[in-house]
Amino acid sequence: MPSTVAGPEIERLVQLLARLPGLGPRSARRAALYLIRKRETLLQPLAEAMRVAEERIVTCSVCGNVDSRDPCTICCDERRDPATIVVVESVGDLWALERAGAIQARYHVLGGVLSPLDGVGPSDLNLGALAARIAQGGISEVILAVNATVDGQTTAHYIIDLLSSYPVKATRLAHGVPVGGELDYLDDGTLAAAMRQRTAF
């Protein structure tokens, strides 16, 4: 059994850091040591930022985004197209689309995808709120920006069925060759999707 090299406070910090995505036990130890070395310039400000975040961050009651206000900043932005809703799986996906500056629309965060094997059904996702937003009227297009996985596509088909009784256009992100991608390095599924969704010059 390995001996303990640090007190319980440091071990607790390492264990918590190891729970973060992309950090295993070894990288968590390195991160903890770095934070401890930079106690005044990094550890203390980080602890304060986390305390404030825990107190003030809420989930938007309209779209499911996270922010320090409800409704969130995006939902309150009058420059955005109120007739278009982009449906995403997670807040991380929303942030990625915003980072790309791809569209000035409103969003709806599902909080996951349908996955029968994992026991995730329609009631586990933020689908009721989406249907309620559509039922209020004023929405002309719903863009399904879900991942191109089996569960993502299953979720997209479920949403299309859910919206079939409303006068809205349902679209999805194009799948295929990424910008800068080389055909020789792409998988068969991506190549097939790109060929099916080819467009005119």
Side-chain angles (χ1 to χ4, degrees):
M1 183 174 176
S3 60
T4 303
V5 296
E9 298 83 3
I10 295 175
E11 287 299 324
R12 173 89 171 130
L13 177 61
V14 171
Q15 289 170 4
L16 290 172
L17 288 171
R19 293 184 187 177
L20 295 173
L23 286 185
R26 292 176 71 181
S27 51
R29 283 197 181 284
R30 285 195 297 272
L33 287 172
Y34 186 80
L35 287 169
I36 291 166
R37 278 199 312 269
K38 303 287 185 180
R39 187 176 309 179
E40 291 182 7
T41 59
L42 188 57
L43 182 59
Q44 290 174 355
L46 178 62
E48 175 63 14
M50 292 175 73
R51 184 191 65 75
V52 171
E54 195 277 331
E55 287 177 358
R56 298 186 188 167
I57 291 179
V58 294
T59 300
C60 177
S61 59
V62 177
C63 72
N65 187 20
V66 292
D67 203 339
S68 57
R69 60 190 284 191
D70 183 18
C72 71
T73 303
I74 291 176
C75 286
C76 294
D77 187 349
E78 294 182 359
R79 296 169 298 175
R80 293 179 179 269
D81 179 7
T84 304
I85 293 179
V86 181
V87 177
V88 294
E89 294 179 19
S90 68
V91 173
D93 295 334
L94 184 159
W95 288 1
L97 288 171
E98 282 296 289
R99 193 170 58 245
I103 191 168
Q104 284 288 307
R106 307 283 168 88
Y107 290 90
H108 192 85
V109 181
L110 294 174
V113 288
L114 296 174
S115 180
L117 292 176
D118 297 322
V120 180
S123 61
D124 298 309
L125 302 180
N126 195 14
L127 291 167
L130 175 62
R133 289 177 74 182
I134 305 299
Q136 288 177 356
I139 307 297
S140 60
E141 182 180 7
V142 174
I143 302 171
L144 301 173
V146 295
N147 292 320
T149 61
V150 172
D151 290 341
Q153 296 310 299
T154 300
T155 305
H157 289 297
Y158 184 89
I159 293 172
I160 289 169
D161 289 342
L162 183 71
L163 302 179
S164 62
S165 59
Y166 299 103
V168 296
K169 176 173 71 170
T171 59
R172 68 175 186 174
L173 298 182
H175 300 148
V177 180
V179 174
E182 297 182 29
L183 297 183
D184 191 36
Y185 293 103
L186 298 177
D187 63 274
D188 296 346
T190 299
L191 285 171
M195 188 58 73
R196 284 194 306 271
Q197 298 176 46
R198 62 191 182 276
T199 58
F201 274 105

